[in-house]
Amino acid sequence: MNEKRLIARIRHGDEAALNALIRTYYPSVRQYVSLKVPVKEDAQDITQEVFLRFIRQIPTYRHEGKLAHYLYVIASHCCTDHFRTQKHQPLPLEETRIPDSIDLHIDTLRKLEHERLRALIMCLPPEEQDTVVFHDLKEMSFREISEMLDVPQSTLKSRHTRALSRLRSLWKE
């Protein structure tokens, strides 16, 4: 899909082009927001807000990279706004205790570990959360993240190292 052509079509009122853009990018933006915002309904609302903000910005939008990166930046700002307005504190971490006598299926254990890791990521500062999510979960390179967030690669690498160190210590607790 040629993003420049798609944006041009949207600027000229092509609803099919707008729907194609939303169908293409909605799942990955929703996944990103869901990682940062644990309440499903809030994540849905924020994801919709991301696309509403983008649609409002289409007249002045200049295509200077991947559109997905631009949408992630908007999503990050929307999540920050959400937490600021909700005066949201990360959910307290509760130790997951599994009795030894219960033989749980491996998938269930993995799901519990995934949920615990997600909760631990939410305890990190927002800049470190984004670095971990984009690099480790979205599998973006530090160069791509650097271009997207306009932050030097060396800063991102430091944040990433610090975040992983914090996650290791939190996991051990």
Side-chain angles (χ1 to χ4, degrees):
M1 162 180 35
N2 185 330
E3 293 176 347
K4 281 186 177 182
R5 198 172 336 163
L6 191 63
I7 297 298
R9 287 177 45 204
I10 293 170
R11 283 185 178 142
H12 288 99
D14 186 342
E15 250 183 77
L18 178 60
N19 289 334
L21 180 136
I22 292 171
R23 270 194 312 278
T24 301
Y25 294 105
Y26 194 91
S28 61
V29 172
R30 168 98 187 263
Q31 180 187 26
Y32 168 74
V33 172
S34 295
L35 287 168
K36 294 194 58 115
V37 180
V39 179
K40 184 179 178 181
E41 292 79 15
D42 290 345
Q44 288 173 338
D45 292 344
I46 291 169
T47 304
Q48 290 177 0
E49 178 64 24
V50 168
F51 286 94
L52 288 174
R53 286 187 188 185
F54 176 71
I55 291 167
R56 283 187 224 120
Q57 294 172 4
I58 284 180
T60 58
Y61 173 73
R62 289 188 348 229
H63 187 72
E64 296 178 356
K66 293 183 178 179
L67 179 58
H69 295 176
Y70 187 69
L71 292 171
Y72 287 141
V73 170
I74 295 173
S76 178
H77 291 263
C78 286
C79 290
T80 301
D81 291 347
H82 169 75
F83 292 133
R84 191 177 302 125
T85 59
Q86 298 296 312
K87 293 188 171 62
H88 174 77
Q89 296 297 320
L91 296 174
L93 292 177
E94 295 179 8
E95 227 178 284
T96 306
R97 297 178 190 256
I98 303 174
D100 293 335
S101 61
I102 298 177
D103 183 28
L104 294 176
H105 191 271
I106 297 242
D107 288 340
T108 305
L109 289 173
R110 284 190 181 137
K111 183 177 179 186
L112 290 171
E113 285 180 344
H114 176 75
E115 289 173 7
R116 182 167 181 228
L117 180 59
R118 179 178 165 199
L120 293 174
I121 290 172
M122 296 310 302
C123 292
L124 298 173
E127 303 83 28
E128 291 178 12
Q129 288 177 22
D130 286 343
T131 305
V132 169
V133 168
F134 289 133
H135 184 68
D136 297 316
L137 302 178
K138 292 289 186 183
E139 299 178 355
M140 294 170 65
S141 70
F142 286 116
R143 183 184 54 74
E144 290 176 309
I145 302 168
S146 173
E147 292 170 1
M148 178 177 71
L149 299 177
D150 197 26
V151 174
Q153 286 185 47
S154 57
T155 302
L156 292 170
K157 289 176 182 178
S158 297
R159 284 181 187 169
H160 187 258
T161 301
R162 194 170 44 249
L164 292 181
S165 176
R166 286 184 190 181
L167 285 173
R168 272 189 218 97
S169 65
L170 287 170
W171 188 269
K172 289 177 184 175
E173 289 178 4

